[in-house]
């Protein structure tokens, strides 16, 4: 019970009872002077405010190109690297941690890239309200919080309802690239994803691919591998026709 609870001992109100489970703990942190300056000066160039209605990506980027969404980009190292490496594609990033957004803004400015737009907001709300249906060619979710304790597994981002939302925002044939360094979370990802009729694992049932060139290896990952830690790159393709809609005699497409 909070110390400032106006009704100590009273049952929770409707808002509290129906508050959605979050897959993250909001830690805004302290902005460095450089990050604060970036949020003030560079956000107008790269930032997007949720509008509560589908966004016209062609209008936002000034062109029609393949679009890649990264959810939970952290400090943005991988997103900045990808945008500079593939200028022919447009990149959208979503991150709730404001210092990471500020750091990425400075990196984008230093690299001179223009093919990135960012949300500093909850990914579920952005996907539900602002990302148009079938408008993305790829979605990347790399090293989401594994929520190790069993009682916290419900907070894991990869859940059936969220996967269905991701499928609706991907174009048919689009890719969902998941990566984790926790075997338990990899198993959970397979459990959820293989139960979806919308996706097919590129590596085969309950399998992972070698790290693709599109995902840079971080210093943290390199250190973990030296210690014997595994990393699982799990890549699914959005099916042209959901498997559930196929005749029973027709196998799930590869």
């Amino acid at each position: 019970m909070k110390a400032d609870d106006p009704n100590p001992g009273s049952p929770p109100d409707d808002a509290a009872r129906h508050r959605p489970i979050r897959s993250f703990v909001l830690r805004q942190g302290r902005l460095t002077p450089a990050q604060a300056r970036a949020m003030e000066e560079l956000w107008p160039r790269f930032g997007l405010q949720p509008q509560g209605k589908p966004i016209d990506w062609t209008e936002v980027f000034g062109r029609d190109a393949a679009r890649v969404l990264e959810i939970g980009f952290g400090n943005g190292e991988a997103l900045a690297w990808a945008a500079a490496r593939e200028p022919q594609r447009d990149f959208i990033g979503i991150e709730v941690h404001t210092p990471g957004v500020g750091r990425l803004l400075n990196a984008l400015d230093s690299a001179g890239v223009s093919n990135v737009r960012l949300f500093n907001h909850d990914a579920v709300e952005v996907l539900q309200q602002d990302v148009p249906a079938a408008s993305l060619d790829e979605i990347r979710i790399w090293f989401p919080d594994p929520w190790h304790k069993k009682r916290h597994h419900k907070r894991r981002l990869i859940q059936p309802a969220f996967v269905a939302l991701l499928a609706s925002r991907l174009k048919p044939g689009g890719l969902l690239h998941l990566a984790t360094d926790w075997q338990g979370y990899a198993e959970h990802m397979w459990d959820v994803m293989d139960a979806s009729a919308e996706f097919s694992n590129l590596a085969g049932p309950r399998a992972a691919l070698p790290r693709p060139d599109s995902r840079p290896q971080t210093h943290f990952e390199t250190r973990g591998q030296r210690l014997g830690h595994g990393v699982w790159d799990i890549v699914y393709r959005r099916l042209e026709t959901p498997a559930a809609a196929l005749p029973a005699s027709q196998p799930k497409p590869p």
Side-chain angles (χ1 to χ4, degrees), residues 239-252:
L239 297 176
E240 298 280 345
T241 304
L246 296 174
S249 60
Q250 186 170 347
K252 187 175 181 179

Side-chain angles (χ1 to χ4, degrees), residues 113-164:
V113 302
S114 59
N115 57 331
V116 178
R117 296 296 183 271
L118 307 175
F119 287 96
N120 184 199
H121 200 72
D122 173 38
V124 174
E125 293 180 7
V126 171
L127 283 163
Q128 288 174 333
Q129 300 176 17
D130 293 85
V131 176
S135 67
L136 303 174
D137 295 87
E138 184 177 349
I139 298 175
R140 298 171 176 177
I141 306 176
W142 294 344
F143 306 103
D145 193 328
W147 292 102
H148 316 105
K149 297 178 181 179
K150 186 174 182 179
R151 69 175 183 272
H152 290 157
H153 286 184
K154 62 182 178 293
R155 293 181 177 270
R156 287 176 170 174
L157 185 61
I158 305 304
Q159 303 288 355
F162 186 63
V163 167

Side-chain angles (χ1 to χ4, degrees), residues 125-254:
E125 293 180 7
V126 171
L127 283 163
Q128 288 174 333
Q129 300 176 17
D130 293 85
V131 176
S135 67
L136 303 174
D137 295 87
E138 184 177 349
I139 298 175
R140 298 171 176 177
I141 306 176
W142 294 344
F143 306 103
D145 193 328
W147 292 102
H148 316 105
K149 297 178 181 179
K150 186 174 182 179
R151 69 175 183 272
H152 290 157
H153 286 184
K154 62 182 178 293
R155 293 181 177 270
R156 287 176 170 174
L157 185 61
I158 305 304
Q159 303 288 355
F162 186 63
V163 167
L165 177 59
L166 296 176
S168 72
R169 295 326 187 230
L170 274 171
K171 296 177 181 178
L175 298 180
L176 173 58
H177 182 178
L178 309 174
T180 183
D181 54 357
W182 284 86
Q183 183 174 356
Y185 202 0
E187 297 283 350
H188 173 87
M189 289 173 172
W190 284 319
D191 288 343
V192 174
M193 292 299 304
D194 288 347
S196 170
E198 306 284 352
F199 289 98
S200 178
N201 189 335
L202 294 188
R206 302 188 78 80
L209 294 173
R211 180 181 60 83
D213 292 339
S214 58
R215 184 177 72 76
Q217 183 165 310
T218 66
H219 297 300
F220 177 81
E221 184 179 351
T222 301
R223 183 181 63 182
Q225 289 183 335
R226 284 200 301 266
L227 296 172
H229 300 168
V231 174
W232 291 263
D233 281 275
I234 303 173
V235 184
Y236 283 80
R237 185 179 302 281
R238 170 79 159 85
L239 297 176
E240 298 280 345
T241 304
L246 296 174
S249 60
Q250 186 170 347
K252 187 175 181 179

Side-chain angles (χ1 to χ4, degrees), residues 31-42 99 101-103 105-106:
L31 292 171
T32 67
Q35 291 165 354
R37 187 166 56 251
M39 293 300 295
E40 181 178 351
E41 298 178 0
L42 300 177
V101 177
R103 180 172 177 176
L105 288 171
N106 283 319

Side-chain angles (χ1 to χ4, degrees), residues 12-52:
D13 59 19
D14 287 344
R17 282 196 297 267
H18 296 93
R19 186 176 298 119
I21 295 171
R22 296 293 190 186
S23 62
F24 59 88
V25 175
L26 187 60
R27 302 184 185 94
Q28 289 293 354
R30 185 182 298 275
L31 292 171
T32 67
Q35 291 165 354
R37 187 166 56 251
M39 293 300 295
E40 181 178 351
E41 298 178 0
L42 300 177
W43 180 257
R45 191 198 315 174
F46 295 104
L48 292 174
Q49 298 293 348
Q51 300 296 313

